[in-house]
Amino acid sequence: MIQIHLPDPATEEISDIASLTAVGEAALSLAKAPENCSLTLILSDDAELQRLNREYLGIDAPTDVLAFSTQDGDEPFVVAPDSQDYLGDVIVSLPRATAQAAEMGHSLQQELDLLIVHGVL
């Protein structure tokens, strides 16, 4: 299961929100993630990705995608037996994705698909 959080104006820019979920689920499947797992996909802005990049990676610059896993380390993340295994968060900069799509000559949807796969993997 993939939860998607979009800023209000983003819903006008993204033509197919359901495909974001499908791409994320396909990447999870290719990565052989557990069937009963979930993650959160967040579309945000450059300022937020710069803040996260600075705070968690020590890099004071925006980036296109960041992923925060709950599965890092030697010990698996503990969950209740009947609950979903929460894998973490994938955060994408919508302005950066828009700019990169224009630079590469493809659609915003295609760029988001690439960034989601990159973030999930």
Short mmCIF file of all heavy atoms in Angstrom, two decimals, residues 58-110:
data_model
loop_
_atom_site.label_atom_id
_atom_site.label_comp_id
_atom_site.label_asym_id
_atom_site.label_seq_id
_atom_site.Cartn_x
_atom_site.Cartn_y
_atom_site.Cartn_z
N GLY A 58 23.51 16.24 5.91
CA GLY A 58 24.56 17.24 6.02
C GLY A 58 24.86 17.97 4.73
O GLY A 58 25.92 18.56 4.59
N ILE A 59 23.94 17.94 3.79
CA ILE A 59 24.13 18.60 2.49
C ILE A 59 23.13 19.75 2.41
O ILE A 59 21.91 19.52 2.35
CB ILE A 59 23.91 17.62 1.32
CG1 ILE A 59 24.90 16.46 1.43
CG2 ILE A 59 24.05 18.35 -0.02
CD1 ILE A 59 24.63 15.32 0.48
N ASP A 60 23.63 20.98 2.40
CA ASP A 60 22.76 22.16 2.41
C ASP A 60 22.39 22.57 0.99
O ASP A 60 22.81 23.62 0.49
CB ASP A 60 23.42 23.31 3.16
CG ASP A 60 22.44 24.43 3.47
OD1 ASP A 60 21.22 24.21 3.33
OD2 ASP A 60 22.90 25.52 3.84
N ALA A 61 21.64 21.71 0.32
CA ALA A 61 21.19 21.97 -1.05
C ALA A 61 19.92 21.15 -1.30
O ALA A 61 19.76 20.07 -0.72
CB ALA A 61 22.27 21.56 -2.05
N PRO A 62 19.05 21.67 -2.16
CA PRO A 62 17.88 20.86 -2.51
C PRO A 62 18.30 19.67 -3.37
O PRO A 62 19.38 19.66 -3.94
CB PRO A 62 16.99 21.84 -3.28
CG PRO A 62 17.92 22.87 -3.81
CD PRO A 62 19.07 22.95 -2.84
N THR A 63 17.43 18.70 -3.44
CA THR A 63 17.67 17.53 -4.28
C THR A 63 16.33 17.09 -4.86
O THR A 63 15.28 17.58 -4.45
CB THR A 63 18.36 16.41 -3.50
OG1 THR A 63 18.75 15.36 -4.40
CG2 THR A 63 17.47 15.85 -2.40
N ASP A 64 16.35 16.16 -5.81
CA ASP A 64 15.10 15.76 -6.45
C ASP A 64 14.32 14.73 -5.65
O ASP A 64 13.10 14.74 -5.63
CB ASP A 64 15.33 15.28 -7.88
CG ASP A 64 16.39 14.20 -8.01
OD1 ASP A 64 16.93 13.73 -6.98
OD2 ASP A 64 16.71 13.84 -9.16
N VAL A 65 15.01 13.82 -4.97
CA VAL A 65 14.31 12.77 -4.22
C VAL A 65 15.16 12.34 -3.01
O VAL A 65 16.38 12.27 -3.10
CB VAL A 65 13.96 11.55 -5.11
CG1 VAL A 65 15.19 10.88 -5.66
CG2 VAL A 65 13.08 10.55 -4.38
N LEU A 66 14.48 12.10 -1.91
CA LEU A 66 15.10 11.54 -0.71
C LEU A 66 14.25 10.36 -0.25
O LEU A 66 13.03 10.38 -0.40
CB LEU A 66 15.17 12.58 0.41
CG LEU A 66 16.16 13.72 0.25
CD1 LEU A 66 15.94 14.76 1.34
CD2 LEU A 66 17.59 13.20 0.30
N ALA A 67 14.90 9.37 0.30
CA ALA A 67 14.18 8.21 0.84
C ALA A 67 14.65 7.97 2.26
O ALA A 67 15.86 8.00 2.54
CB ALA A 67 14.42 6.98 -0.03
N PHE A 68 13.71 7.75 3.14
CA PHE A 68 14.00 7.46 4.54
C PHE A 68 13.39 6.10 4.87
O PHE A 68 12.18 5.94 4.87
CB PHE A 68 13.42 8.54 5.45
CG PHE A 68 14.07 9.88 5.22
CD1 PHE A 68 13.47 10.80 4.39
CD2 PHE A 68 15.27 10.19 5.82
CE1 PHE A 68 14.06 12.04 4.16
CE2 PHE A 68 15.87 11.42 5.61
CZ PHE A 68 15.27 12.35 4.78
N SER A 69 14.27 5.14 5.12
CA SER A 69 13.82 3.78 5.36
C SER A 69 13.71 3.48 6.85
O SER A 69 14.53 3.93 7.65
CB SER A 69 14.83 2.81 4.74
OG SER A 69 14.52 1.48 5.08
N THR A 70 12.73 2.71 7.19
CA THR A 70 12.62 2.19 8.56
C THR A 70 13.35 0.86 8.67
O THR A 70 13.39 0.27 9.74
CB THR A 70 11.15 1.99 8.98
OG1 THR A 70 10.56 1.04 8.09
CG2 THR A 70 10.38 3.29 8.95
N GLN A 71 13.90 0.38 7.56
CA GLN A 71 14.52 -0.94 7.51
C GLN A 71 16.03 -0.91 7.63
O GLN A 71 16.68 -1.93 7.50
CB GLN A 71 14.14 -1.63 6.19
CG GLN A 71 12.66 -1.68 5.93
CD GLN A 71 11.91 -2.50 6.94
OE1 GLN A 71 12.21 -3.67 7.13
NE2 GLN A 71 10.95 -1.90 7.61
N ASP A 72 16.64 0.25 7.85
CA ASP A 72 18.09 0.34 7.96
C ASP A 72 18.59 -0.32 9.24
O ASP A 72 17.88 -0.40 10.23
CB ASP A 72 18.54 1.80 7.93
CG ASP A 72 18.36 2.43 6.56
OD1 ASP A 72 18.26 1.67 5.58
OD2 ASP A 72 18.32 3.66 6.48
N GLY A 73 19.81 -0.77 9.21
CA GLY A 73 20.42 -1.35 10.40
C GLY A 73 20.35 -2.86 10.39
O GLY A 73 19.82 -3.49 9.49
N ASP A 74 20.90 -3.45 11.45
CA ASP A 74 20.97 -4.91 11.56
C ASP A 74 19.66 -5.54 12.01
O ASP A 74 19.37 -6.67 11.68
CB ASP A 74 22.07 -5.30 12.55
CG ASP A 74 23.44 -4.89 12.05
OD1 ASP A 74 23.63 -4.84 10.82
OD2 ASP A 74 24.31 -4.62 12.89
N GLU A 75 18.89 -4.81 12.78
CA GLU A 75 17.65 -5.36 13.32
C GLU A 75 16.47 -4.94 12.46
O GLU A 75 16.34 -3.78 12.09
CB GLU A 75 17.43 -4.86 14.76
CG GLU A 75 18.48 -5.32 15.73
CD GLU A 75 18.48 -6.83 15.90
OE1 GLU A 75 17.39 -7.43 15.97
OE2 GLU A 75 19.58 -7.42 15.94
N PRO A 76 15.57 -5.86 12.11
CA PRO A 76 14.38 -5.48 11.34
C PRO A 76 13.45 -4.60 12.17
O PRO A 76 13.43 -4.68 13.39
CB PRO A 76 13.72 -6.82 11.01
CG PRO A 76 14.22 -7.75 12.04
CD PRO A 76 15.59 -7.28 12.45
N PHE A 77 12.71 -3.77 11.47
CA PHE A 77 11.72 -2.92 12.12
C PHE A 77 10.63 -3.82 12.71
O PHE A 77 10.13 -4.71 12.04
CB PHE A 77 11.13 -1.96 11.08
CG PHE A 77 10.28 -0.87 11.64
CD1 PHE A 77 10.84 0.15 12.38
CD2 PHE A 77 8.92 -0.87 11.42
CE1 PHE A 77 10.07 1.16 12.89
CE2 PHE A 77 8.12 0.14 11.93
CZ PHE A 77 8.71 1.16 12.66
N VAL A 78 10.29 -3.63 13.96
CA VAL A 78 9.32 -4.49 14.64
C VAL A 78 7.91 -3.99 14.37
O VAL A 78 7.61 -2.81 14.54
CB VAL A 78 9.59 -4.51 16.16
CG1 VAL A 78 8.56 -5.37 16.87
CG2 VAL A 78 11.00 -5.02 16.42
N VAL A 79 7.03 -4.89 13.94
CA VAL A 79 5.63 -4.57 13.70
C VAL A 79 4.76 -5.64 14.33
O VAL A 79 5.19 -6.76 14.56
CB VAL A 79 5.30 -4.46 12.19
CG1 VAL A 79 6.05 -3.31 11.55
CG2 VAL A 79 5.62 -5.74 11.46
N ALA A 80 3.52 -5.29 14.59
CA ALA A 80 2.57 -6.27 15.10
C ALA A 80 2.34 -7.34 14.05
O ALA A 80 2.41 -7.06 12.85
CB ALA A 80 1.26 -5.58 15.46
N PRO A 81 2.05 -8.57 14.45
CA PRO A 81 1.93 -9.68 13.49
C PRO A 81 0.93 -9.45 12.36
O PRO A 81 1.17 -9.90 11.25
CB PRO A 81 1.49 -10.86 14.38
CG PRO A 81 1.92 -10.49 15.74
CD PRO A 81 1.88 -9.00 15.82
N ASP A 82 -0.18 -8.79 12.61
CA ASP A 82 -1.20 -8.62 11.57
C ASP A 82 -1.14 -7.26 10.88
O ASP A 82 -2.00 -6.95 10.06
CB ASP A 82 -2.59 -8.80 12.17
CG ASP A 82 -2.82 -10.23 12.63
OD1 ASP A 82 -2.14 -11.13 12.10
OD2 ASP A 82 -3.65 -10.44 13.52
N SER A 83 -0.13 -6.45 11.17
CA SER A 83 -0.07 -5.12 10.57
C SER A 83 0.86 -5.11 9.36
O SER A 83 1.61 -6.05 9.12
CB SER A 83 0.40 -4.09 11.59
OG SER A 83 1.74 -4.33 11.92
N GLN A 84 0.77 -4.03 8.61
CA GLN A 84 1.64 -3.89 7.45
C GLN A 84 3.04 -3.50 7.89
O GLN A 84 3.23 -2.80 8.88
CB GLN A 84 1.09 -2.83 6.51
CG GLN A 84 -0.16 -3.26 5.79
CD GLN A 84 -0.54 -2.28 4.71
OE1 GLN A 84 -0.26 -1.09 4.80
NE2 GLN A 84 -1.20 -2.77 3.69
N ASP A 85 4.01 -3.96 7.16
CA ASP A 85 5.41 -3.62 7.39
C ASP A 85 5.65 -2.25 6.76
O ASP A 85 5.61 -2.11 5.55
CB ASP A 85 6.28 -4.70 6.73
CG ASP A 85 7.73 -4.61 7.13
OD1 ASP A 85 8.07 -3.77 8.00
OD2 ASP A 85 8.53 -5.37 6.58
N TYR A 86 5.85 -1.22 7.60
CA TYR A 86 6.04 0.14 7.08
C TYR A 86 7.49 0.32 6.67
O TYR A 86 8.39 0.24 7.49
CB TYR A 86 5.63 1.18 8.14
CG TYR A 86 5.68 2.58 7.59
CD1 TYR A 86 4.78 2.98 6.63
CD2 TYR A 86 6.66 3.46 8.01
CE1 TYR A 86 4.83 4.25 6.10
CE2 TYR A 86 6.72 4.74 7.48
CZ TYR A 86 5.80 5.13 6.52
OH TYR A 86 5.87 6.39 5.98
N LEU A 87 7.71 0.57 5.38
CA LEU A 87 9.06 0.65 4.84
C LEU A 87 9.70 2.03 5.00
O LEU A 87 10.92 2.13 5.09
CB LEU A 87 9.06 0.25 3.37
CG LEU A 87 8.56 -1.16 3.07
CD1 LEU A 87 8.58 -1.41 1.58
CD2 LEU A 87 9.37 -2.19 3.82
N GLY A 88 8.90 3.08 4.98
CA GLY A 88 9.47 4.42 5.13
C GLY A 88 8.81 5.43 4.21
O GLY A 88 7.68 5.23 3.75
N ASP A 89 9.55 6.52 3.93
CA ASP A 89 9.03 7.63 3.15
C ASP A 89 9.91 7.91 1.95
O ASP A 89 11.15 7.87 2.05
CB ASP A 89 8.99 8.91 4.00
CG ASP A 89 8.16 8.77 5.25
OD1 ASP A 89 7.15 8.05 5.21
OD2 ASP A 89 8.52 9.38 6.27
N VAL A 90 9.28 8.22 0.83
CA VAL A 90 9.96 8.71 -0.36
C VAL A 90 9.42 10.12 -0.60
O VAL A 90 8.21 10.31 -0.72
CB VAL A 90 9.70 7.81 -1.59
CG1 VAL A 90 10.30 8.43 -2.86
CG2 VAL A 90 10.25 6.41 -1.35
N ILE A 91 10.34 11.10 -0.62
CA ILE A 91 9.94 12.51 -0.74
C ILE A 91 10.53 13.06 -2.02
O ILE A 91 11.75 13.01 -2.23
CB ILE A 91 10.40 13.31 0.48
CG1 ILE A 91 9.92 12.62 1.76
CG2 ILE A 91 9.89 14.75 0.41
CD1 ILE A 91 10.69 12.98 2.98
N VAL A 92 9.67 13.62 -2.88
CA VAL A 92 10.07 14.13 -4.18
C VAL A 92 9.82 15.63 -4.23
O VAL A 92 8.76 16.09 -3.82
CB VAL A 92 9.29 13.42 -5.31
CG1 VAL A 92 9.59 14.03 -6.67
CG2 VAL A 92 9.57 11.93 -5.31
N SER A 93 10.77 16.37 -4.78
CA SER A 93 10.59 17.80 -5.01
C SER A 93 9.82 17.99 -6.32
O SER A 93 10.35 17.70 -7.40
CB SER A 93 11.94 18.51 -5.10
OG SER A 93 11.76 19.82 -5.61
N LEU A 94 8.61 18.47 -6.21
CA LEU A 94 7.80 18.70 -7.41
C LEU A 94 8.40 19.77 -8.33
O LEU A 94 8.46 19.56 -9.55
CB LEU A 94 6.36 19.03 -7.02
CG LEU A 94 5.35 19.12 -8.15
CD1 LEU A 94 5.33 17.84 -8.99
CD2 LEU A 94 3.97 19.40 -7.60
N PRO A 95 8.90 20.90 -7.80
CA PRO A 95 9.52 21.88 -8.69
C PRO A 95 10.76 21.33 -9.40
O PRO A 95 10.98 21.59 -10.59
CB PRO A 95 9.91 23.04 -7.76
CG PRO A 95 9.07 22.88 -6.56
CD PRO A 95 8.79 21.41 -6.43
N ARG A 96 11.56 20.55 -8.69
CA ARG A 96 12.76 19.99 -9.31
C ARG A 96 12.36 18.95 -10.37
O ARG A 96 12.96 18.89 -11.44
CB ARG A 96 13.65 19.36 -8.24
CG ARG A 96 15.00 19.00 -8.78
CD ARG A 96 16.08 19.08 -7.74
NE ARG A 96 16.16 20.37 -7.09
CZ ARG A 96 16.94 21.38 -7.48
NH1 ARG A 96 17.69 21.25 -8.54
NH2 ARG A 96 16.98 22.51 -6.81
N ALA A 97 11.35 18.15 -10.08
CA ALA A 97 10.87 17.16 -11.06
C ALA A 97 10.35 17.87 -12.31
O ALA A 97 10.62 17.43 -13.43
CB ALA A 97 9.78 16.29 -10.45
N THR A 98 9.65 18.98 -12.13
CA THR A 98 9.12 19.74 -13.26
C THR A 98 10.27 20.27 -14.12
O THR A 98 10.24 20.17 -15.36
CB THR A 98 8.23 20.90 -12.76
OG1 THR A 98 7.15 20.34 -11.99
CG2 THR A 98 7.66 21.71 -13.90
N ALA A 99 11.28 20.84 -13.47
CA ALA A 99 12.43 21.39 -14.21
C ALA A 99 13.20 20.28 -14.93
O ALA A 99 13.61 20.44 -16.09
CB ALA A 99 13.35 22.14 -13.25
N GLN A 100 13.41 19.16 -14.26
CA GLN A 100 14.16 18.06 -14.87
C GLN A 100 13.40 17.46 -16.04
O GLN A 100 14.00 17.07 -17.04
CB GLN A 100 14.48 16.99 -13.82
CG GLN A 100 15.52 17.45 -12.83
CD GLN A 100 15.79 16.49 -11.69
OE1 GLN A 100 16.60 16.81 -10.85
NE2 GLN A 100 15.15 15.33 -11.62
N ALA A 101 12.09 17.40 -15.95
CA ALA A 101 11.29 16.89 -17.06
C ALA A 101 11.46 17.79 -18.28
O ALA A 101 11.64 17.30 -19.40
CB ALA A 101 9.81 16.81 -16.66
N ALA A 102 11.43 19.10 -18.06
CA ALA A 102 11.61 20.04 -19.18
C ALA A 102 13.01 19.90 -19.78
O ALA A 102 13.17 19.89 -21.00
CB ALA A 102 11.37 21.47 -18.70
N GLU A 103 14.02 19.76 -18.93
CA GLU A 103 15.40 19.60 -19.40
C GLU A 103 15.57 18.33 -20.23
O GLU A 103 16.30 18.32 -21.22
CB GLU A 103 16.37 19.53 -18.22
CG GLU A 103 16.58 20.85 -17.52
CD GLU A 103 17.38 20.69 -16.22
OE1 GLU A 103 18.07 19.65 -16.04
OE2 GLU A 103 17.29 21.61 -15.38
N MET A 104 14.91 17.26 -19.81
CA MET A 104 15.06 15.97 -20.49
C MET A 104 14.09 15.80 -21.66
O MET A 104 14.19 14.84 -22.42
CB MET A 104 14.85 14.83 -19.49
CG MET A 104 15.88 14.81 -18.36
SD MET A 104 17.59 14.74 -18.95
CE MET A 104 17.63 13.10 -19.60
N GLY A 105 13.13 16.71 -21.78
CA GLY A 105 12.19 16.65 -22.90
C GLY A 105 11.13 15.59 -22.76
O GLY A 105 10.65 15.04 -23.75
N HIS A 106 10.77 15.26 -21.53
CA HIS A 106 9.66 14.32 -21.35
C HIS A 106 8.66 14.92 -20.36
O HIS A 106 8.85 16.01 -19.84
CB HIS A 106 10.14 12.92 -20.94
CG HIS A 106 10.99 12.87 -19.71
ND1 HIS A 106 12.24 12.32 -19.69
CD2 HIS A 106 10.78 13.29 -18.44
CE1 HIS A 106 12.76 12.40 -18.49
NE2 HIS A 106 11.89 12.98 -17.70
N SER A 107 7.59 14.19 -20.11
CA SER A 107 6.50 14.72 -19.28
C SER A 107 6.86 14.71 -17.80
O SER A 107 7.74 13.96 -17.35
CB SER A 107 5.23 13.90 -19.49
OG SER A 107 5.37 12.62 -18.91
N LEU A 108 6.15 15.53 -17.04
CA LEU A 108 6.30 15.53 -15.59
C LEU A 108 5.97 14.15 -15.04
O LEU A 108 6.65 13.65 -14.14
CB LEU A 108 5.39 16.59 -14.95
CG LEU A 108 5.32 16.58 -13.43
CD1 LEU A 108 6.69 16.80 -12.80
CD2 LEU A 108 4.32 17.63 -12.95
N GLN A 109 4.95 13.50 -15.59
CA GLN A 109 4.56 12.17 -15.12
C GLN A 109 5.73 11.18 -15.28
O GLN A 109 6.02 10.40 -14.37
CB GLN A 109 3.34 11.68 -15.91
CG GLN A 109 2.63 10.52 -15.27
CD GLN A 109 1.83 10.93 -14.04
OE1 GLN A 109 1.19 11.95 -14.03
NE2 GLN A 109 1.89 10.12 -13.00
N GLN A 110 6.43 11.24 -16.41
CA GLN A 110 7.56 10.34 -16.64
C GLN A 110 8.68 10.62 -15.64
O GLN A 110 9.30 9.70 -15.12
CB GLN A 110 8.08 10.48 -18.07
CG GLN A 110 7.16 9.88 -19.11
CD GLN A 110 7.62 10.21 -20.50
OE1 GLN A 110 7.81 11.37 -20.87
NE2 GLN A 110 7.82 9.17 -21.30
#
